[in-house]
């Protein structure tokens, strides 16, 4: 029986919040924004998610195994605490190019699927992005004892043992992103009172994955060093939604669009571990675990930053799209194992 503390993270990467710009330059850097309300030239830029999810969250993993002559059955469960992270820009940060910053933060959109970054929503008061991530999973594996595949040694005897394993994994990934931005300009004619735009994007992924791997261990009476790669080929049943409220103006109502599909989803996991044998029954372990899954829906990727020229004010502002990304969950593992006599 093994219980482990996890400090894992799953950052979404540097996903851009908005569309690309026509020049092809990086919109994360200041560029000349679209003139509106007769303001003249404005310096603006777009935000991304590069600072999201970099701290990691606490979790726990429990494993219970039973040894037989032909092999071992091991079942484990892990769960991560909900991780919340954010990035924000306030009015004091928007001081104009003479301060080395920008006048505005923009979320640019394409128009009718063409001309990237030709329109969009600007904010001059505040912009805040809040991101929430959670994950948990269950897996069961059968680790095969065989003298025919290289060789096998037993606890305390010393040497290298290599054993194949087969099993099944269930993985649940839930993420949510909320963007809030404010705009106000009272010096123009007509004046624009303050109004706040809200964008919410949520995804839920359920992965069902048969898997196979190899457990490699170097056993010493005082310690054990192990490495365990596993490859899986399964399916991901996912759904997602995108909500916008007052995207263009106060008169732009709430819009919600949704996606739901099942796709093939490969996975790969690699764990390294060092165990110190405090006694024949009790060990302490420290390690690192890396889990990768492809074809996963993520909140930053399913937003289609596009508007309709025929119905720009009352139509759907932004939509949910079937866009799948890779997912990486990795970090530190600390734990202890007890082997019943």
């Amino acid at each position: 029986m093994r219980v482990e503390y996890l400090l894992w993270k799953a950052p979404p990467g540097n996903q851009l919040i908005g569309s690309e710009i026509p020049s092809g330059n990086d919109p994360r850097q200041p560029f000349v924004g679209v003139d509106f309300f007769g303001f003249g030239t404005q310096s603006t830029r777009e935000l991304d998610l590069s600072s999201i999810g970099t701290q990691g969250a606490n979790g726990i993993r429990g494993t219970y195994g039973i040894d037989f002559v032909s092999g071992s059955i091991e079942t484990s469960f892990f769960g991560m605490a909900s991780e919340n992270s954010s990035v924000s820009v306030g009015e004091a940060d928007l001081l104009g190019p003479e301060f080395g910053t920008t006048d505005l933060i923009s979320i640019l959109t394409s128009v009718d699927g063409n001309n990237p970054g030709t329109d969009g929503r600007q904010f001059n008061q505040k912009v805040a992005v809040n991101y929430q991530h959670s994950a948990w999973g269950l897996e069961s594996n059968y680790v095969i004892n065989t003298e025919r595949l290289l060789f096998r040694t037993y606890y305390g005897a010393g040497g290298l043992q290599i054993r194949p394993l087969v099993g099944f994994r269930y993985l649940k990934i839930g993420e949510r992103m909320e963007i809030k931005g404010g705009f106000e300009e009272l010096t123009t004619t007509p004046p624009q009172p303050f109004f706040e735009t809200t964008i919410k994007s949520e995804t839920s992924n359920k992965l069902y994955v048969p898997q196979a791997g190899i457990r490699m261990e170097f056993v010493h009476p005082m310690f054990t060093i192990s490495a365990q790669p596993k490859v899986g080929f399964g399916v991901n049943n996912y759904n997602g939604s995108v909500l916008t409220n007052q995207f263009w103006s106060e008169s732009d109502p709430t819009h919600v669009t949704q996606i739901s599909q099942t796709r093939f989803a490969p996975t790969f996991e690699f764990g390294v571990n060092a165990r110190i044998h405090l006694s024949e029954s009790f060990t302490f372990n420290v390690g690192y675990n890396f889990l990768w899954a492809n074809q996963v829906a993520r909140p930053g990727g399913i937003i289609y930053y596009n508007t309709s020229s025929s119905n720009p004010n009352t139509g759907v502002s932004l939509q949910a799209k079937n866009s799948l990304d890779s997912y990486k969950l990795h970090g530190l593992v600390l734990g202890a194992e007890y082997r019943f006599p």
Side-chain angles (χ1 to χ4, degrees):
M1 183 170 59
R2 185 185 311 124
V3 178
E4 295 166 305
Y5 163 76
L6 314 175
L7 181 58
W8 288 357
K9 58 184 178 181
N14 63 346
Q15 178 74 47
L16 191 66
I17 301 177
S19 173
E20 298 290 344
I21 56 178
S23 67
N25 295 331
D26 186 358
R28 299 168 182 82
Q29 302 300 320
F31 60 92
V32 177
V34 177
D35 184 19
F36 63 102
F37 281 147
F39 288 166
T41 301
Q42 298 284 302
S43 176
T44 187
R45 64 184 177 91
E46 292 187 315
L47 300 179
D48 64 21
L49 301 178
S50 58
S51 61
I52 294 294
T54 59
Q55 300 299 315
N58 298 317
I60 190 170
R61 180 169 63 185
T63 304
Y64 187 79
I66 302 176
D67 290 332
F68 300 96
V69 174
S70 60
S72 302
I73 295 177
E74 297 182 357
T75 300
S76 66
F77 168 86
F78 86 90
M80 304 299 301
S82 179
E83 179 185 10
N84 294 277
S85 53
S86 63
V87 57
S88 62
V89 176
E91 186 177 5
D93 301 311
L94 303 173
L95 300 175
E98 66 272 24
F99 292 94
T101 58
T102 55
D103 302 285
L104 305 166
I105 296 295
S106 294
I107 297 180
L108 299 183
T109 68
S110 58
V111 179
D112 300 328
N114 301 305
N115 304 319
T118 56
D119 209 344
R121 175 76 165 90
Q122 289 81 27
F123 307 102
N124 66 353
Q125 296 295 306
K126 64 175 183 178
V127 184
V129 181
N130 294 299
Y131 201 99
Q132 185 179 72
H133 166 268
S134 63
W136 66 272
L138 177 71
E139 68 175 304
S140 185
N141 298 292
Y142 183 63
V143 187
I144 303 170
N145 297 338
T146 175
E147 301 296 338
R148 295 180 181 179
L149 182 64
L150 297 180
F151 52 86
R152 180 180 186 272
T153 57
Y154 294 86
Y155 171 81
L160 177 67
Q161 65 180 40
I162 301 177
R163 293 182 287 170
L165 63 88
V166 293
F168 183 85
R169 174 197 302 277
Y170 172 77
L171 179 62
K172 173 69 180 297
I173 304 166
E175 294 181 289
R176 180 177 183 269
M177 180 176 70
E178 182 178 62
I179 305 169
K180 286 184 176 291
F183 182 84
E184 178 185 79
E185 184 53 62
L186 303 179
T187 63
T188 59
T189 304
Q192 175 58 63
F194 176 83
F195 74 98
E196 185 176 66
T197 291
T198 300
I199 303 171
K200 292 181 182 179
S201 177
E202 297 185 58
T203 58
S204 176
N205 298 267
K206 300 176 182 178
L207 285 79
Y208 306 86
V209 185
Q211 60 186 7
I214 298 176
R215 176 173 298 174
M216 299 172 286
E217 294 181 308
F218 179 80
V219 181
H220 185 274
M222 297 183 65
F223 63 88
T224 297
I225 299 176
S226 65
Q228 182 170 275
K230 289 183 288 189
V231 177
F233 298 93
V235 295
N236 177 20
N237 177 246
Y238 67 90
N239 60 73
S241 65
V242 173
L243 176 150
T244 63
N245 182 50
Q246 296 184 349
F247 184 76
W248 291 114
S249 66
E250 291 178 302
S251 62
D252 189 9
T254 299
H255 307 289
V256 180
T257 56
Q258 299 177 329
I259 57 171
S260 180
Q261 282 199 17
T262 299
R263 292 284 182 87
F264 169 75
T267 65
F268 173 76
E269 184 178 21
F270 183 76
V272 292
N273 194 275
R275 300 199 301 270
I276 301 173
H277 304 304
L278 302 179
S279 69
E280 290 191 3
S281 299
F282 189 78
T283 65
F284 172 79
N285 67 282
V286 57
Y288 173 82
N289 201 90
F290 175 85
L291 173 63
W292 171 87
N294 202 14
Q295 301 289 80
V296 173
R298 312 203 67 177
I302 69 167
I303 302 177
Y304 182 32
Y305 294 99
N306 181 68
T307 56
S308 171
S309 60
S310 61
N311 195 15
N313 295 321
T314 59
V316 175
S317 301
L318 307 177
Q319 299 182 39
K321 64 177 181 177
N322 276 300
S323 177
L324 302 178
D325 300 311
S326 63
Y327 172 83
K328 301 181 182 75
L329 178 64
H330 61 98
L332 177 69
V333 179
L334 293 173
E337 177 182 298
Y338 180 75
R339 303 182 67 90
F340 294 92

